């Protein structure tokens, strides 16, 4: 009976991990869209020069993607260090006081709804099979084989932000001058509808509210930066 349960938990954990990665990618792309759109639309309010728009957009893209990557690397590294420290402590406790750890595992399984007898039997079998893995999963909520790599997380954030940022950047520099702003605004809002829908679906939430938040937030960001750009351009700054 324990074999299918273990496999199901492994598959469920892998699925949860993939969903978290997808959600992070969607949110990273969303950040790239909104922040870069705000920059290029703001600059477009002050000047229509293509090279200036391209320079501002590229600077925002590179700064944002590097910032996202660095932040994700630091965050995941800290989490990984904490998980490794918890696993090392658990390993030491299993070596120094195995009986107490077995009793603790039995108590934890019992709290999950098993009878005392079944919990004790399951704890013994899990301990014989892989004591550290059992305690890591049940007590700590950690899968030793699924620790996030900070370099992978940093690269994923970098790529997600870059992909999102490319849309407003290309939309503002490729069309003719008179079409740049409307093409950018429409493209960005359409992309925000898509990322809002995707994030809601990945989080098993109703998409309507997420889409509305995304679109309103993006429109507000572009409106504020465009207004600031127009004001600065008007006064010659």
């Amino acid at each position: 009976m324990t074999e299918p349960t273990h496999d199901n938990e492994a598959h469920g954990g892998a699925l949860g991990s993939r969903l978290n990665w997808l959600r992070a990618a969607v949110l990273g792309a969303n950040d790239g869209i909104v922040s870069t759109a705000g920059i290029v639309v703001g600059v477009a309010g002050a000047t229509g020069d293509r090279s200036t728009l391209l320079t501002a957009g590229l600077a925002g893209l590179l700064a944002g993607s590097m910032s996202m990557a660095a932040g994700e690397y630091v965050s995941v590294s800290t989490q990984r260090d904490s998980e490794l420290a918890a696993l090392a402590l658990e390993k030491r406790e299993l070596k120094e006081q195995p009986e107490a750890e077995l009793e603790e595992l039995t108590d934890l399984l019992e709290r999950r709804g098993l009878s005392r007898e079944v919990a004790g039997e399951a704890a013994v079998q899990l301990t014989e099979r892989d004591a550290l893995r059992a305690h890591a999963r049940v007590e700590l909520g950690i899968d030793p084989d699924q620790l996030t790599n900070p370099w992978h997380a940093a690269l994923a954030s970098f790529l997600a932000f870059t992909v999102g940022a490319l849309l407003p950047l290309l939309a503002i520099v490729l069309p003719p001058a008179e079409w740049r702003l409307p093409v950018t605004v429409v493209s960005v809002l359409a992309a925000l509808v898509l990322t809002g829908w995707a994030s809601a679906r990945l989080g098993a939430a109703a998409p309507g509210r997420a889409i509305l938040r995304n679109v309103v937030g993006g429109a507000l960001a572009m409106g504020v930066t465009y207004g600031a750009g127009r004001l600065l351009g008007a006064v010659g700054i």
Side-chain angles (χ1 to χ4, degrees):
M1 293 295 291
T2 56
E3 196 71 35
T5 301
H6 177 77
D7 290 342
N8 288 339
E9 287 180 354
H11 295 319
L15 177 60
S17 178
R18 285 195 294 270
L19 288 175
N20 286 334
W21 277 102
L22 286 171
R23 192 177 298 115
V26 169
L27 294 176
N30 192 81
D31 287 343
I33 293 168
V34 174
S35 61
T36 306
I39 291 172
V40 297
V41 168
V43 175
T47 178
D49 183 65
R50 190 189 302 269
S51 62
T52 301
L53 292 170
L54 179 61
T55 300
L58 280 175
L61 184 155
L62 291 173
S65 59
M66 293 301 295
S67 175
M68 288 283 289
E72 193 70 11
Y73 179 83
V74 170
S75 174
V76 173
S77 293
T78 301
Q79 177 184 340
R80 184 183 176 90
D81 290 343
S82 299
E83 291 174 343
L84 289 173
L87 289 172
L89 176 61
E90 196 64 39
K91 185 175 182 179
R92 185 168 68 249
E93 290 177 345
L94 285 167
K95 182 178 180 180
E96 294 175 353
Q97 44 189 9
E99 294 83 4
E101 289 298 301
L102 178 61
E103 182 67 21
E104 181 181 35
L105 183 58
T106 301
D107 290 340
L108 290 169
L109 292 172
E110 186 178 13
R111 290 174 197 168
R112 293 192 173 191
L114 299 179
S115 68
R116 184 69 182 180
E117 181 181 355
V118 173
E121 181 182 349
V124 170
Q125 291 184 18
L126 289 172
T127 299
E128 290 175 349
R129 186 177 192 179
D130 191 330
L132 181 59
R133 175 186 291 278
H135 280 266
R137 292 178 68 89
V138 177
E139 181 181 349
L140 304 176
I142 298 173
D143 186 342
D145 296 328
Q146 296 291 331
L147 298 181
T148 305
N149 186 317
W151 288 107
H152 292 169
L155 178 60
S157 292
F158 178 89
L159 292 176
F161 188 96
T162 300
V163 169
L166 280 173
L167 173 69
L169 176 58
L170 294 176
I172 202 72
V173 299
L174 292 182
E178 64 272 16
W179 285 99
R180 287 175 189 163
L181 195 59
V183 167
T184 302
V185 171
V186 171
S187 300
V188 166
L189 294 181
L192 292 178
V193 169
L194 179 60
T195 56
W197 176 86
S199 63
R201 296 297 296 174
L202 290 170
R209 187 173 297 178
I211 291 172
L212 181 62
R213 284 196 301 261
N214 248 21
V215 170
V216 170
L220 182 61
M222 289 188 289
V224 170
T225 55
Y226 181 75
R230 293 286 291 179
L231 178 61
L232 293 175
V235 299
I237 296 179

